[in-house]
Amino acid sequence: MSFTQSSLKIGELATGQDLTIPIFSYECESATGPSVYIQANVHGAEVQGNAVIYQLMKLLEQYSICGDITLVPLANPLGINQKSGEFTLGRFDPITGVNWNREYLDHKVDVAAWYKAHDALSDADLIAQYRAMLIEACYQRLNSEWGITTGHQQAVNLQVMAHQADIVLDLHTGPKSCKHLYCPEYDAKAASFFSIPYTLFIPNDFGGAMDESIFCPWWQLTEHMKLAGRDLKVPVSAFTLELGSQEKINLEDALVDAKGILAYLSERGVIEQKIVPARMKRYACHLQDYKKYHSPLGGMVEYLAEIGEPLKQGEPLANILRLDLYGTDKTITPLSINKDCVPILHFASASVYQGTELYKVMTKVFEI
């Protein structure tokens, strides 16, 4: 098999040139498995997903593909090119200040009304009609007579492609981060296939991210149908994969993650061959137990707690250095957390304001 390359216009620059993104696609002649959409680099500094897509493309050439696949690396050209010196600043739209990954359309479907009008349909027809409705809502948004922001236009164009797939993977990284997976609670079994040690199980609430924009409308529909006495398994799967730290690419590590994705695609029947997932310990917590620790004061930070390593209650988390207070007992302020946790990521810089989000940690962790 081989991929076909094309491009999609997602906006226009101030100088008039088209703003485009590359797309790699494979279309089965007679698909028997789910369709797949994978994107990377929605945040400008989060480049490792491009390496994973590269490795995944090379691996897929060796297998029999049973479902359509769409791959979108470099999904945010504005963010990727938003540089300041040696740093990439592309986490927030510089015009509106909105996080690029919070620009997707919240459908706010009245599922009760929609289902009442379509409950006579078969499962297959109901799924097709609901998908068509979601895609049409995206096009209506894109064609609003009042226009939409640059960031929203880019995001909703990506969302249109994602809504056409049965499996959606959004590849990200953290600032200084270990690998972790955002997985909807209804699809918890999927976490055992990816080569990712930590999973956050997320509820049926839209927070603005790509994965939520895809699975929330379907999850809400199936929950309503269950109350009405009709069972339908949520027909789409959507995940955010956090693949380590930003501003770097590691091709060897990307191959590990590509193989984990391949194992999941194998389990779902996207490829014909059976791929065994990596043998490793995997841990999880619920999103409500994923905590942010904010710096109690400004200063220079010595990060002590290792990401991905369990931290016991009261063990050192970080030190804050305040040279302006030299000669007092406040020159060094040790920080700790009053509960067992696993630090998942920490702030990238060693200089912080008071209130900076220093660490994100998992609490109430369990093995899966």
Side-chain angles (χ1 to χ4, degrees):
M1 60 85 69
S2 59
F3 285 92
T4 300
Q5 184 174 357
S6 60
S7 63
L8 174 69
K9 178 181 174 180
I10 57 170
E12 295 179 0
L13 299 174
T15 48
Q17 289 102 331
D18 288 348
L19 186 65
T20 64
I21 55 173
I23 300 172
F24 296 87
S25 56
Y26 175 79
E27 187 173 342
C28 283
E29 291 185 9
S30 54
T32 58
S35 55
V36 180
Y37 172 85
I38 303 176
Q39 68 177 26
N41 218 167
V42 164
H43 290 135
E46 300 182 9
V47 292
Q48 178 68 359
N50 295 307
V52 172
I53 286 179
Y54 164 73
Q55 295 287 29
L56 184 61
M57 291 173 71
K58 290 179 62 182
L59 288 172
L60 285 168
E61 291 177 356
Q62 307 169 31
Y63 293 95
S64 303
I65 311 301
C66 304
D68 296 341
I69 299 175
T70 301
L71 305 175
V72 183
L74 306 166
N76 179 3
L78 288 174
I80 294 164
N81 288 292
Q82 190 184 346
K83 308 289 286 189
S84 179
E86 62 185 287
F87 300 105
T88 309
L89 303 181
R91 185 170 185 81
F92 302 97
D93 183 337
I95 299 171
T96 63
V98 177
N99 185 326
W100 290 111
N101 195 36
R102 298 296 183 271
E103 296 270 23
Y104 300 99
L105 178 63
D106 181 1
H107 287 284
K108 297 180 180 177
V109 180
D110 184 342
V111 293
W114 190 92
Y115 181 63
K116 185 177 181 180
H118 298 84
D119 63 353
L121 295 174
S122 67
D123 286 356
D125 288 341
L126 184 141
I127 290 169
Q129 289 290 323
Y130 198 69
R131 190 189 302 272
M133 179 271 295
L134 295 174
I135 293 170
E136 176 58 26
C138 288
Y139 280 125
Q140 288 180 10
R141 184 61 178 151
L142 289 169
N143 296 319
S144 168
E145 63 176 321
W146 296 100
I148 59 176
T149 67
T150 302
H152 195 44
Q153 177 162 314
Q154 176 176 276
V156 178
N157 269 298
L158 297 173
Q159 194 173 352
V160 167
M161 291 187 285
H163 271 313
Q164 297 175 59
D166 304 306
I167 297 169
V168 174
L169 306 182
D170 192 11
L171 309 184
H172 286 257
T173 65
K176 300 296 182 181
S177 175
C178 69
K179 296 178 188 179
H180 54 291
L181 172 74
Y182 285 87
C183 177
E185 292 170 349
Y186 73 83
D187 218 353
K189 220 169 56 170
S192 62
F193 293 93
F194 298 102
S195 301
I196 294 179
Y198 293 103
T199 295
L200 293 159
F201 290 129
I202 54 179
N204 192 4
D205 297 316
F206 179 74
M210 166 61 90
D211 56 349
E212 297 161 342
S213 76
I214 302 304
F215 70 66
C216 278
W218 290 101
W219 196 354
Q220 291 159 3
L221 174 65
T222 57
E223 286 295 301
H224 175 79
M225 290 173 62
K226 187 182 297 183
L227 293 174
R230 180 175 175 182
D231 284 331
L232 178 69
K233 181 181 178 182
V234 182
V236 303
S237 298
F239 312 94
T240 294
L241 282 65
E242 299 279 354
L243 302 170
S245 301
Q246 64 190 23
E247 293 279 36
K248 67 175 186 177
I249 275 180
N250 183 315
L251 287 171
E252 185 177 347
D253 202 35
L255 181 58
V256 172
D257 288 311
K259 288 179 177 178
I261 292 172
L262 203 64
Y264 175 70
L265 298 184
S266 169
E267 169 66 17
R268 292 294 309 275
V270 178
I271 61 173
E272 190 175 287
Q273 293 82 355
K274 185 67 176 177
I275 308 296
V276 178
R279 295 187 63 182
M280 58 186 294
K281 286 188 178 294
R282 294 174 174 87
Y283 301 91
C285 80
H286 294 283
L287 189 63
Q288 66 190 32
D289 298 316
Y290 189 45
K291 305 296 185 182
K292 300 175 182 178
Y293 181 86
H294 298 88
S295 181
L297 68 162
M300 306 296 152
V301 185
E302 179 187 19
Y303 297 98
L304 299 175
E306 294 291 333
I307 53 177
E309 296 295 330
L311 187 72
K312 290 293 185 182
Q313 173 183 334
E315 288 185 344
L317 182 72
N319 286 324
I320 303 283
L321 171 64
R322 287 286 297 268
L323 277 175
D324 60 312
L325 300 176
Y326 181 75
T328 75
D329 60 0
K330 295 183 179 179
T331 306
I332 298 287
T333 301
L335 304 177
S336 61
I337 295 176
N338 195 28
K339 60 175 58 183
D340 294 349
C341 65
V342 178
I344 298 298
L345 60 82
H346 68 68
F347 195 61
S349 176
S351 59
V352 302
Y353 292 163
Q354 183 182 37
T356 294
E357 187 181 284
L358 278 189
Y359 276 90
K360 285 186 177 180
V361 304
M362 291 172 59
T363 65
K364 299 182 182 179
V365 178
F366 52 91
E367 189 170 355
I368 56 175

